[in-house]
Amino acid sequence: MSSTIHTPEASASHETDSKKALLDEAVRVVETLRKLGADEASASYGWGVHSDLARREGKVETATSATSKGLTVSVLVNKKYSSHSTSDLRPAALDAFLQRAVEATQYLEPDPEQGQADIALCGRGATPEELDEFDAAWRDFTPEQRAQWAIDLEEAVKAHAPANMISASASVADGMNQSARAMSNGFAEVEEGAWYSLGAEMTLLDDGKRPEAYVYYGARYRSDLPDVQAIAKELAAKAQERLNSGPVESGQYPLILLNQAAGRIVGILGGPLSGGALYERRSCLIGKKGEKIGSDLLTLVDNPLIPRGLGSRPFDGDGLRAQKRTVIQNGVLENYYIGVYYGRKLKMDPTSSGASNWVIEAGQQSWQDVAKQFPKAILVNSFLGGNSNATTGDFSFGIRGQLLENGVPVKSLSEMNISGNIMSFFHKLSHVGNDPWTYSSMRSPTLIFDDVAFSGV
Amino acid sequence: MNSLDQQAALNWFAQFGVVESHFAQVLAAATAYGADDADLYFEHATSVSVSLSDEKVNAAYTSVDLGLGVRVVVGDQVGYAYTEDLSLESMIRAAQSAAQIAKGGKLHAPVKTSVLQLPDYYPINRHWSDVAISERVPMVRKWEQAAFARDARIKRVQASIADAEKRVLIVSADGRMAADYRPMTRAMVSCTAEDKGVRETNYYNIASRAGLDWYSDERQDRLVHEAVSRSIWALDAGTPPAGEMTVVMAAGSSGILLHEAIGHGMEADFNRKGISIFADRVGKRVAPEGVTIVDSAVLPQARGALNVDDEGSPTQRTVLVEDGIMRSYLHDRISARHYGVESTGSGRRESFRHPVLPRMRCTYMEAGNHTPDEIISSVKKGIYCESFGNGQVQIGAGDFAFYVRQGYLIEDGKLTQPIKDVNIIGNGPKVLETIEMVGNDLVIDEGGWTCGKDGQSVPVSQGMPTIKVKNLSVGGGRR
């Protein structure tokens, strides 16, 4: 089937109009809130188009399409703060909504640190052209092309499937979003982007078990995605790796953390780096700025300005102008995530309210070369469950992967965990691969750690 | 409006311009190319939350969500579209988009709608929309002050009360109409404790499909007491040794083991596709005698309770495993038609923006005969798990995991060293086979659990008596 038609608004000539209309509406909402008694107000007005198509057994399984709209406002009255969102945008409903938003704040307690940023700090850190988040080809991407893309992916998956395959599915999705933000400090900007994703899953029969594997790729430009044949090959290889899996003996092993899985572990730094966690004393990184929290090989940069980056943005949640910042330089903690509100509470200069793209500086060697030197090592390529404690830095995650002997895979691993503490774990980083992952906002190469605690049998 | 009052539901949606004569027109567009099934899911959801941090009740959040989801089903193929705009023109456009799945399908004659009579598992005295923000503010303030008063080692407190009410109206092409009013409330207190240079954070939360009067003094007191005592407790907790060991799961939120080890694997969409490790096991023994596992929508006021599911099917108590024998999958209408059975009322969706999937509601194990003390004292060396953060499962491999926030070592039949922050992993069918003792102390947990599947989150509950299991790998750091 052909899944959907684009809405009339999505045509090129209407996009410019809709951007202006969104911005005008966001500004009007802020003005209305001010008239209703808000000392400060902000509004985000957005809409998007979304289509997805999943195929299995030679036919379409689900096809979803929609155009979606929504408004979020925040208001400050006598330093009392509240935030409100709605998808009921009928004019009369909207007026009542704004009225209630202002009224809602009166019952709260004032918080002197609430308030918008100095307008001098707000604005765009890059032009839309520099960020390059909108694939112009998306406008001409037809339902027929989407349907064919899904067929091509499913056919490729089938062609590469091993004989013991039970089921495989293929899905494609794409869309675009435009969002206008206006603030009573004078900030008024629009951001927009298109996106595409490809995903496939495969289940094999394996002696009573039915191990599954999946691959997923997302990008701003369709041409940046791998071709369907490469995805199908990767999927089949991943599924076959999962056969005959089980645990090995508990103990300390070198950990080879594959690039596409590394974000899950590196990401646990995000919680304790936030201003909220620092202020609420639920961070293991309190007072660690300027201190060594990882090995010399650990350099982590927050870069919102990467062209076509999935975490790229011209400004942050507070409207602060986006800029590249080093978070960790050669193991030394250089910057926290400090938004405007917690900046005032902590008496620190604001950096940014949250992470954009996380880029871990890549090394020179391939992980395969490094792995050869270890008599035994564990390659981790995905996780099952697990969590971390931002206050103490403790973490524990279920893992899947391979036991390597001198770099050669000898056993597929499951039913195992890794555990540790952030404060010692990143000191064990001994090698950084040359293979940065770019299909996510977590852009890490493969990371290799000495002596990590694995539990198995 | 309650679940029994369809007219009230129609009146409710009439305020957004939706009138009964629209249903036939939109369904006609949805089934223009034929369909085996088609439905309209109208939803109006509002929520309010008030939160405290830094010793101030300093933020309120509200939301309004309104829209229609149109679903067209041909065999096991689903066309789906939604709109936030409930004008007839926009609804018909959504229906036309969803209808495209069905090109070449059979034609479906329109049927006059009949109203489904439903029970009410969550009657409410006063709607949340009638509760002022000013009534919520003193509650969170009181919890905070009680938490600080309880122990001088509590240095930071965060607290919130969040409530929501969702009104749904489901109209299907085969002539069924059902409506529901679904309240939900959740309260949370989180504390940071510090003592002798050690700092820890922990929290407690309670949730229910209920109104303001659910917050009895006893319940509010327990909320604060648990948040404080769990935070203080953590100051002395350590890490367990690593490896495979015997695990005693405490009564209550240990139902997370059932949710992951078997619950997801029993969702019929995975079995219809042959990708669940439990595919083809109905009628077979999967656990020892004495093990009965249930997924129920009918526990009054439970977070996972439902008067009617999200495709208009009546709900029920579904027995997944009876005395060790696998009995039934969790069905929505698509899988029920595939297997030639009735829906178990398990068709759920996060919102009008999402198609229906078979989902859990409240998953628990029926009580057995052993006292909790008997079970703990039977273990020479192992661990005892009491509270949990999150879990995950691989449907086909059957491997599952859950994250333990609170537990103890068991040494010579006694609880000893407190342990925390540890992931535990096992294989569903393997672990079910090794359930050795089932306690007589079933508790349905009152926590605000949320289950995620295919990008959709729905509220669920879970429960468990104390049980003993083997073959779990504990992700400790100590050897």
Side-chain angles (χ1 to χ4, degrees), chain A residues 61 63 65 68 84 87 109 210 281 283 345 385 387 391 400 419, chain B residues 54 57 62 65 78 80 84 97 141 194 199 201 274 390 392 394 475:
Chain A
E61 183 165 67
S65 68
S68 200
H84 312 269
S87 67
E109 294 169 349
R210 296 170 184 235
R281 302 190 67 73
S283 167
K345 294 231 179 233
N387 210 328
T391 310
R400 289 169 301 193
S419 297
Chain B
D54 199 19
V57 184
T62 73
D65 207 10
V78 176
Y80 201 79
E84 290 108 353
S97 177
R141 171 58 90 185
E194 288 189 51
R199 200 168 55 236
T201 304
N390 53 290
Q392 198 184 350
Q394 284 175 269

PDB file of all heavy atoms in Angstrom, chain A residues 61 63 65 68 84 87 109 210 281 283 345 385 387 391 400 419, chain B residues 54 57 62 65 78 80 84 97 141 194 199 201 274 390 392 394 475:
ATOM      1  N   GLU A  61       2.508  -4.308   7.669  1.00  0.00           N
ATOM      2  CA  GLU A  61       1.926  -4.707   8.952  1.00  0.00           C
ATOM      3  C   GLU A  61       1.224  -3.527   9.614  1.00  0.00           C
ATOM      4  O   GLU A  61       0.075  -3.641  10.028  1.00  0.00           O
ATOM      5  CB  GLU A  61       3.019  -5.241   9.861  1.00  0.00           C
ATOM      6  CG  GLU A  61       2.473  -5.749  11.173  1.00  0.00           C
ATOM      7  CD  GLU A  61       3.492  -6.579  11.895  1.00  0.00           C
ATOM      8  OE1 GLU A  61       4.518  -6.023  12.322  1.00  0.00           O
ATOM      9  OE2 GLU A  61       3.279  -7.797  12.019  1.00  0.00           O
ATOM     10  N   ALA A  63       0.802   0.909   9.159  1.00  0.00           N
ATOM     11  CA  ALA A  63       1.147   2.162   8.491  1.00  0.00           C
ATOM     12  C   ALA A  63       0.476   3.274   9.278  1.00  0.00           C
ATOM     13  O   ALA A  63      -0.730   3.243   9.480  1.00  0.00           O
ATOM     14  CB  ALA A  63       0.636   2.146   7.060  1.00  0.00           C
ATOM     15  N   SER A  65       0.193   7.541   9.909  1.00  0.00           N
ATOM     16  CA  SER A  65       0.583   8.848   9.415  1.00  0.00           C
ATOM     17  C   SER A  65      -0.232   9.902  10.137  1.00  0.00           C
ATOM     18  O   SER A  65      -1.372   9.642  10.525  1.00  0.00           O
ATOM     19  CB  SER A  65       0.310   8.945   7.921  1.00  0.00           C
ATOM     20  OG  SER A  65      -1.072   8.942   7.702  1.00  0.00           O
ATOM     21  N   SER A  68       0.670  16.695  13.435  1.00  0.00           N
ATOM     22  CA  SER A  68       0.427  16.911  14.848  1.00  0.00           C
ATOM     23  C   SER A  68       0.826  18.332  15.227  1.00  0.00           C
ATOM     24  O   SER A  68       1.770  18.881  14.666  1.00  0.00           O
ATOM     25  CB  SER A  68       1.286  15.899  15.610  1.00  0.00           C
ATOM     26  OG  SER A  68       0.798  15.727  16.906  1.00  0.00           O
ATOM     27  N   HIS A  84       2.532  24.779  31.008  1.00  0.00           N
ATOM     28  CA  HIS A  84       1.265  24.201  30.564  1.00  0.00           C
ATOM     29  C   HIS A  84       1.357  23.818  29.092  1.00  0.00           C
ATOM     30  O   HIS A  84       1.949  24.544  28.310  1.00  0.00           O
ATOM     31  CB  HIS A  84       0.135  25.219  30.745  1.00  0.00           C
ATOM     32  CG  HIS A  84       0.145  25.856  32.118  1.00  0.00           C
ATOM     33  ND1 HIS A  84      -0.558  25.352  33.168  1.00  0.00           N
ATOM     34  CD2 HIS A  84       0.849  26.915  32.602  1.00  0.00           C
ATOM     35  CE1 HIS A  84      -0.309  26.083  34.259  1.00  0.00           C
ATOM     36  NE2 HIS A  84       0.532  27.029  33.937  1.00  0.00           N
ATOM     37  N   SER A  87      -3.044  20.403  23.229  1.00  0.00           N
ATOM     38  CA  SER A  87      -3.219  20.128  21.804  1.00  0.00           C
ATOM     39  C   SER A  87      -4.614  20.556  21.355  1.00  0.00           C
ATOM     40  O   SER A  87      -4.997  20.320  20.219  1.00  0.00           O
ATOM     41  CB  SER A  87      -3.004  18.636  21.516  1.00  0.00           C
ATOM     42  OG  SER A  87      -4.020  17.858  22.115  1.00  0.00           O
ATOM     43  N   GLU A 109       4.418  28.960  45.603  1.00  0.00           N
ATOM     44  CA  GLU A 109       5.309  29.786  46.411  1.00  0.00           C
ATOM     45  C   GLU A 109       6.367  30.415  45.502  1.00  0.00           C
ATOM     46  O   GLU A 109       6.803  29.797  44.534  1.00  0.00           O
ATOM     47  CB  GLU A 109       5.957  28.919  47.489  1.00  0.00           C
ATOM     48  CG  GLU A 109       4.913  28.433  48.477  1.00  0.00           C
ATOM     49  CD  GLU A 109       5.422  27.359  49.423  1.00  0.00           C
ATOM     50  OE1 GLU A 109       6.521  26.822  49.218  1.00  0.00           O
ATOM     51  OE2 GLU A 109       4.697  27.048  50.369  1.00  0.00           O
ATOM     52  N   ARG A 210      14.461 -18.346  20.986  1.00  0.00           N
ATOM     53  CA  ARG A 210      14.216 -17.640  19.732  1.00  0.00           C
ATOM     54  C   ARG A 210      14.948 -16.299  19.775  1.00  0.00           C
ATOM     55  O   ARG A 210      14.319 -15.245  19.861  1.00  0.00           O
ATOM     56  CB  ARG A 210      12.705 -17.441  19.539  1.00  0.00           C
ATOM     57  CG  ARG A 210      11.979 -18.768  19.398  1.00  0.00           C
ATOM     58  CD  ARG A 210      10.474 -18.645  19.451  1.00  0.00           C
ATOM     59  NE  ARG A 210       9.884 -19.978  19.395  1.00  0.00           N
ATOM     60  CZ  ARG A 210       8.977 -20.380  18.500  1.00  0.00           C
ATOM     61  NH1 ARG A 210       8.522 -19.550  17.599  1.00  0.00           N
ATOM     62  NH2 ARG A 210       8.515 -21.600  18.514  1.00  0.00           N
ATOM     63  N   ARG A 281      21.965  17.866  45.503  1.00  0.00           N
ATOM     64  CA  ARG A 281      22.955  16.984  46.131  1.00  0.00           C
ATOM     65  C   ARG A 281      22.718  15.523  45.779  1.00  0.00           C
ATOM     66  O   ARG A 281      22.914  14.628  46.586  1.00  0.00           O
ATOM     67  CB  ARG A 281      23.007  17.211  47.643  1.00  0.00           C
ATOM     68  CG  ARG A 281      23.344  18.672  47.998  1.00  0.00           C
ATOM     69  CD  ARG A 281      23.643  18.909  49.441  1.00  0.00           C
ATOM     70  NE  ARG A 281      24.900  18.269  49.901  1.00  0.00           N
ATOM     71  CZ  ARG A 281      26.117  18.691  49.585  1.00  0.00           C
ATOM     72  NH1 ARG A 281      26.286  19.734  48.800  1.00  0.00           N
ATOM     73  NH2 ARG A 281      27.179  18.075  50.062  1.00  0.00           N
ATOM     74  N   SER A 283      24.329  14.098  43.129  1.00  0.00           N
ATOM     75  CA  SER A 283      25.347  13.921  42.099  1.00  0.00           C
ATOM     76  C   SER A 283      26.646  13.463  42.736  1.00  0.00           C
ATOM     77  O   SER A 283      27.070  14.021  43.748  1.00  0.00           O
ATOM     78  CB  SER A 283      25.583  15.243  41.359  1.00  0.00           C
ATOM     79  OG  SER A 283      26.755  15.153  40.579  1.00  0.00           O
ATOM     80  N   LYS A 345      20.845  29.531  41.372  1.00  0.00           N
ATOM     81  CA  LYS A 345      20.834  28.840  42.669  1.00  0.00           C
ATOM     82  C   LYS A 345      22.254  28.475  43.111  1.00  0.00           C
ATOM     83  O   LYS A 345      22.594  28.588  44.283  1.00  0.00           O
ATOM     84  CB  LYS A 345      20.014  27.548  42.572  1.00  0.00           C
ATOM     85  CG  LYS A 345      18.545  27.788  42.332  1.00  0.00           C
ATOM     86  CD  LYS A 345      17.693  27.017  43.334  1.00  0.00           C
ATOM     87  CE  LYS A 345      16.229  27.280  43.099  1.00  0.00           C
ATOM     88  NZ  LYS A 345      15.517  27.713  44.284  1.00  0.00           N
ATOM     89  N   GLY A 385      18.443  -4.269  30.493  1.00  0.00           N
ATOM     90  CA  GLY A 385      18.124  -3.730  31.822  1.00  0.00           C
ATOM     91  C   GLY A 385      19.300  -2.953  32.382  1.00  0.00           C
ATOM     92  O   GLY A 385      20.200  -2.523  31.663  1.00  0.00           O
ATOM     93  N   ASN A 387      20.807   0.012  35.447  1.00  0.00           N
ATOM     94  CA  ASN A 387      20.578   1.406  35.781  1.00  0.00           C
ATOM     95  C   ASN A 387      21.806   1.920  36.518  1.00  0.00           C
ATOM     96  O   ASN A 387      22.782   1.190  36.716  1.00  0.00           O
ATOM     97  CB  ASN A 387      19.324   1.546  36.654  1.00  0.00           C
ATOM     98  CG  ASN A 387      18.615   2.879  36.437  1.00  0.00           C
ATOM     99  OD1 ASN A 387      19.250   3.882  36.148  1.00  0.00           O
ATOM    100  ND2 ASN A 387      17.311   2.868  36.573  1.00  0.00           N
ATOM    101  N   THR A 391      23.708   9.702  42.535  1.00  0.00           N
ATOM    102  CA  THR A 391      24.233  10.239  43.798  1.00  0.00           C
ATOM    103  C   THR A 391      25.559   9.590  44.180  1.00  0.00           C
ATOM    104  O   THR A 391      26.452  10.235  44.712  1.00  0.00           O
ATOM    105  CB  THR A 391      23.206  10.029  44.925  1.00  0.00           C
ATOM    106  OG1 THR A 391      21.942  10.509  44.477  1.00  0.00           O
ATOM    107  CG2 THR A 391      23.606  10.775  46.188  1.00  0.00           C
ATOM    108  N   ARG A 400      25.101  -8.157  26.563  1.00  0.00           N
ATOM    109  CA  ARG A 400      25.221  -9.221  25.580  1.00  0.00           C
ATOM    110  C   ARG A 400      26.431  -8.906  24.725  1.00  0.00           C
ATOM    111  O   ARG A 400      26.791  -7.743  24.557  1.00  0.00           O
ATOM    112  CB  ARG A 400      23.968  -9.295  24.701  1.00  0.00           C
ATOM    113  CG  ARG A 400      22.775  -9.817  25.453  1.00  0.00           C
ATOM    114  CD  ARG A 400      21.518  -9.644  24.666  1.00  0.00           C
ATOM    115  NE  ARG A 400      21.304  -8.239  24.369  1.00  0.00           N
ATOM    116  CZ  ARG A 400      20.164  -7.759  23.900  1.00  0.00           C
ATOM    117  NH1 ARG A 400      19.172  -8.550  23.652  1.00  0.00           N
ATOM    118  NH2 ARG A 400      20.027  -6.484  23.647  1.00  0.00           N
ATOM    119  N   SER A 419      29.233  -4.337  36.418  1.00  0.00           N
ATOM    120  CA  SER A 419      28.955  -3.434  37.529  1.00  0.00           C
ATOM    121  C   SER A 419      30.192  -2.612  37.821  1.00  0.00           C
ATOM    122  O   SER A 419      31.314  -3.038  37.545  1.00  0.00           O
ATOM    123  CB  SER A 419      28.571  -4.219  38.782  1.00  0.00           C
ATOM    124  OG  SER A 419      27.381  -4.938  38.561  1.00  0.00           O
TER     125      SER A 419
ATOM    126  N   ASP B  54      13.673  22.436  46.834  1.00  0.00           N
ATOM    127  CA  ASP B  54      14.347  23.550  47.480  1.00  0.00           C
ATOM    128  C   ASP B  54      13.441  24.228  48.524  1.00  0.00           C
ATOM    129  O   ASP B  54      13.424  25.447  48.658  1.00  0.00           O
ATOM    130  CB  ASP B  54      14.801  24.565  46.413  1.00  0.00           C
ATOM    131  CG  ASP B  54      15.878  25.503  46.933  1.00  0.00           C
ATOM    132  OD1 ASP B  54      16.516  25.167  47.957  1.00  0.00           O
ATOM    133  OD2 ASP B  54      16.070  26.567  46.317  1.00  0.00           O
ATOM    134  N   VAL B  57       7.057  25.001  47.308  1.00  0.00           N
ATOM    135  CA  VAL B  57       6.129  24.414  46.333  1.00  0.00           C
ATOM    136  C   VAL B  57       6.196  25.345  45.123  1.00  0.00           C
ATOM    137  O   VAL B  57       5.466  26.325  45.025  1.00  0.00           O
ATOM    138  CB  VAL B  57       4.695  24.325  46.901  1.00  0.00           C
ATOM    139  CG1 VAL B  57       3.779  23.619  45.897  1.00  0.00           C
ATOM    140  CG2 VAL B  57       4.689  23.587  48.235  1.00  0.00           C
ATOM    141  N   THR B  62       0.457  21.709  33.871  1.00  0.00           N
ATOM    142  CA  THR B  62      -0.835  21.161  33.454  1.00  0.00           C
ATOM    143  C   THR B  62      -0.749  20.802  31.978  1.00  0.00           C
ATOM    144  O   THR B  62       0.086  21.333  31.236  1.00  0.00           O
ATOM    145  CB  THR B  62      -1.998  22.174  33.632  1.00  0.00           C
ATOM    146  OG1 THR B  62      -1.884  23.194  32.627  1.00  0.00           O
ATOM    147  CG2 THR B  62      -1.993  22.811  35.008  1.00  0.00           C
ATOM    148  N   ASP B  65      -4.836  17.177  26.382  1.00  0.00           N
ATOM    149  CA  ASP B  65      -4.599  16.466  25.124  1.00  0.00           C
ATOM    150  C   ASP B  65      -5.947  16.017  24.582  1.00  0.00           C
ATOM    151  O   ASP B  65      -6.754  15.434  25.308  1.00  0.00           O
ATOM    152  CB  ASP B  65      -3.679  15.268  25.359  1.00  0.00           C
ATOM    153  CG  ASP B  65      -2.893  14.925  24.103  1.00  0.00           C
ATOM    154  OD1 ASP B  65      -2.929  15.719  23.141  1.00  0.00           O
ATOM    155  OD2 ASP B  65      -2.233  13.873  24.091  1.00  0.00           O
ATOM    156  N   VAL B  78      -2.608  -3.150   9.862  1.00  0.00           N
ATOM    157  CA  VAL B  78      -3.234  -2.012  10.525  1.00  0.00           C
ATOM    158  C   VAL B  78      -2.862  -0.708   9.818  1.00  0.00           C
ATOM    159  O   VAL B  78      -1.684  -0.411   9.642  1.00  0.00           O
ATOM    160  CB  VAL B  78      -2.780  -1.915  11.996  1.00  0.00           C
ATOM    161  CG1 VAL B  78      -3.359  -0.663  12.662  1.00  0.00           C
ATOM    162  CG2 VAL B  78      -3.199  -3.160  12.764  1.00  0.00           C
ATOM    163  N   TYR B  80      -3.267   3.331  10.358  1.00  0.00           N
ATOM    164  CA  TYR B  80      -3.551   4.177  11.510  1.00  0.00           C
ATOM    165  C   TYR B  80      -3.291   5.638  11.182  1.00  0.00           C
ATOM    166  O   TYR B  80      -2.320   5.966  10.490  1.00  0.00           O
ATOM    167  CB  TYR B  80      -2.690   3.758  12.707  1.00  0.00           C
ATOM    168  CG  TYR B  80      -3.277   4.241  14.011  1.00  0.00           C
ATOM    169  CD1 TYR B  80      -4.338   3.567  14.587  1.00  0.00           C
ATOM    170  CD2 TYR B  80      -2.801   5.388  14.638  1.00  0.00           C
ATOM    171  CE1 TYR B  80      -4.926   4.020  15.756  1.00  0.00           C
ATOM    172  CE2 TYR B  80      -3.376   5.853  15.803  1.00  0.00           C
ATOM    173  CZ  TYR B  80      -4.443   5.158  16.363  1.00  0.00           C
ATOM    174  OH  TYR B  80      -5.029   5.602  17.508  1.00  0.00           O
ATOM    175  N   GLU B  84      -5.518  15.955  15.988  1.00  0.00           N
ATOM    176  CA  GLU B  84      -5.900  16.723  17.182  1.00  0.00           C
ATOM    177  C   GLU B  84      -7.072  17.646  16.874  1.00  0.00           C
ATOM    178  O   GLU B  84      -7.625  18.250  17.771  1.00  0.00           O
ATOM    179  CB  GLU B  84      -4.728  17.589  17.680  1.00  0.00           C
ATOM    180  CG  GLU B  84      -3.597  16.775  18.279  1.00  0.00           C
ATOM    181  CD  GLU B  84      -2.389  16.749  17.383  1.00  0.00           C
ATOM    182  OE1 GLU B  84      -2.476  17.252  16.234  1.00  0.00           O
ATOM    183  OE2 GLU B  84      -1.354  16.222  17.813  1.00  0.00           O
ATOM    184  N   SER B  97      -6.754   8.496   5.298  1.00  0.00           N
ATOM    185  CA  SER B  97      -5.346   8.102   5.362  1.00  0.00           C
ATOM    186  C   SER B  97      -5.220   6.685   5.919  1.00  0.00           C
ATOM    187  O   SER B  97      -4.501   5.843   5.379  1.00  0.00           O
ATOM    188  CB  SER B  97      -4.589   9.114   6.225  1.00  0.00           C
ATOM    189  OG  SER B  97      -3.265   8.732   6.359  1.00  0.00           O
ATOM    190  N   ARG B 141       3.599  20.120  50.662  1.00  0.00           N
ATOM    191  CA  ARG B 141       4.301  20.853  51.720  1.00  0.00           C
ATOM    192  C   ARG B 141       4.355  20.020  53.008  1.00  0.00           C
ATOM    193  O   ARG B 141       5.388  19.913  53.664  1.00  0.00           O
ATOM    194  CB  ARG B 141       3.580  22.193  51.945  1.00  0.00           C
ATOM    195  CG  ARG B 141       4.028  22.969  53.129  1.00  0.00           C
ATOM    196  CD  ARG B 141       5.500  23.287  53.076  1.00  0.00           C
ATOM    197  NE  ARG B 141       5.796  24.544  52.403  1.00  0.00           N
ATOM    198  CZ  ARG B 141       7.036  24.961  52.162  1.00  0.00           C
ATOM    199  NH1 ARG B 141       8.074  24.202  52.507  1.00  0.00           N
ATOM    200  NH2 ARG B 141       7.259  26.102  51.572  1.00  0.00           N
ATOM    201  N   GLU B 194      22.401  12.437  54.146  1.00  0.00           N
ATOM    202  CA  GLU B 194      23.857  12.516  54.272  1.00  0.00           C
ATOM    203  C   GLU B 194      24.248  12.207  55.709  1.00  0.00           C
ATOM    204  O   GLU B 194      23.611  12.683  56.653  1.00  0.00           O
ATOM    205  CB  GLU B 194      24.353  13.923  53.926  1.00  0.00           C
ATOM    206  CG  GLU B 194      24.281  14.242  52.450  1.00  0.00           C
ATOM    207  CD  GLU B 194      24.974  15.557  52.072  1.00  0.00           C
ATOM    208  OE1 GLU B 194      26.145  15.750  52.468  1.00  0.00           O
ATOM    209  OE2 GLU B 194      24.329  16.363  51.400  1.00  0.00           O
ATOM    210  N   ARG B 199      26.544   9.986  51.022  1.00  0.00           N
ATOM    211  CA  ARG B 199      25.327  10.631  50.566  1.00  0.00           C
ATOM    212  C   ARG B 199      24.525   9.634  49.729  1.00  0.00           C
ATOM    213  O   ARG B 199      25.100   8.903  48.921  1.00  0.00           O
ATOM    214  CB  ARG B 199      25.699  11.848  49.715  1.00  0.00           C
ATOM    215  CG  ARG B 199      24.596  12.856  49.566  1.00  0.00           C
ATOM    216  CD  ARG B 199      25.099  14.158  48.979  1.00  0.00           C
ATOM    217  NE  ARG B 199      25.770  13.945  47.728  1.00  0.00           N
ATOM    218  CZ  ARG B 199      27.004  14.324  47.447  1.00  0.00           C
ATOM    219  NH1 ARG B 199      27.716  14.970  48.338  1.00  0.00           N
ATOM    220  NH2 ARG B 199      27.537  14.079  46.276  1.00  0.00           N
ATOM    221  N   THR B 201      20.427   8.879  47.769  1.00  0.00           N
ATOM    222  CA  THR B 201      19.094   9.353  47.404  1.00  0.00           C
ATOM    223  C   THR B 201      18.195   8.144  47.224  1.00  0.00           C
ATOM    224  O   THR B 201      18.624   7.129  46.672  1.00  0.00           O
ATOM    225  CB  THR B 201      19.141  10.132  46.074  1.00  0.00           C
ATOM    226  OG1 THR B 201      20.077  11.192  46.214  1.00  0.00           O
ATOM    227  CG2 THR B 201      17.788  10.701  45.719  1.00  0.00           C
ATOM    228  N   GLY B 274       5.329 -15.714  16.197  1.00  0.00           N
ATOM    229  CA  GLY B 274       6.295 -16.778  16.488  1.00  0.00           C
ATOM    230  C   GLY B 274       7.593 -16.277  17.084  1.00  0.00           C
ATOM    231  O   GLY B 274       8.591 -16.993  17.107  1.00  0.00           O
ATOM    232  N   ASN B 390      13.709  -0.807  37.578  1.00  0.00           N
ATOM    233  CA  ASN B 390      13.274  -1.005  36.200  1.00  0.00           C
ATOM    234  C   ASN B 390      13.652  -2.399  35.737  1.00  0.00           C
ATOM    235  O   ASN B 390      14.468  -3.065  36.373  1.00  0.00           O
ATOM    236  CB  ASN B 390      13.940   0.036  35.291  1.00  0.00           C
ATOM    237  CG  ASN B 390      15.452   0.071  35.450  1.00  0.00           C
ATOM    238  OD1 ASN B 390      15.957   0.503  36.488  1.00  0.00           O
ATOM    239  ND2 ASN B 390      16.166  -0.408  34.462  1.00  0.00           N
ATOM    240  N   GLN B 392      13.676  -5.238  31.964  1.00  0.00           N
ATOM    241  CA  GLN B 392      13.632  -5.354  30.505  1.00  0.00           C
ATOM    242  C   GLN B 392      13.656  -6.830  30.128  1.00  0.00           C
ATOM    243  O   GLN B 392      14.111  -7.665  30.914  1.00  0.00           O
ATOM    244  CB  GLN B 392      14.845  -4.640  29.890  1.00  0.00           C
ATOM    245  CG  GLN B 392      14.686  -4.335  28.415  1.00  0.00           C
ATOM    246  CD  GLN B 392      15.932  -3.707  27.796  1.00  0.00           C
ATOM    247  OE1 GLN B 392      16.863  -3.326  28.505  1.00  0.00           O
ATOM    248  NE2 GLN B 392      15.947  -3.617  26.480  1.00  0.00           N
ATOM    249  N   GLN B 394      14.097  -9.693  26.583  1.00  0.00           N
ATOM    250  CA  GLN B 394      14.177 -10.046  25.162  1.00  0.00           C
ATOM    251  C   GLN B 394      13.138 -11.133  24.952  1.00  0.00           C
ATOM    252  O   GLN B 394      13.274 -12.244  25.492  1.00  0.00           O
ATOM    253  CB  GLN B 394      15.535 -10.624  24.834  1.00  0.00           C
ATOM    254  CG  GLN B 394      16.650  -9.646  24.741  1.00  0.00           C
ATOM    255  CD  GLN B 394      17.924 -10.424  24.527  1.00  0.00           C
ATOM    256  OE1 GLN B 394      18.598 -10.800  25.474  1.00  0.00           O
ATOM    257  NE2 GLN B 394      18.233 -10.701  23.282  1.00  0.00           N
ATOM    258  N   GLY B 475      24.427  -9.151  39.443  1.00  0.00           N
ATOM    259  CA  GLY B 475      25.521  -8.332  38.911  1.00  0.00           C
ATOM    260  C   GLY B 475      26.307  -7.598  39.968  1.00  0.00           C
ATOM    261  O   GLY B 475      26.416  -6.380  39.912  1.00  0.00           O
TER     262      GLY B 475
END
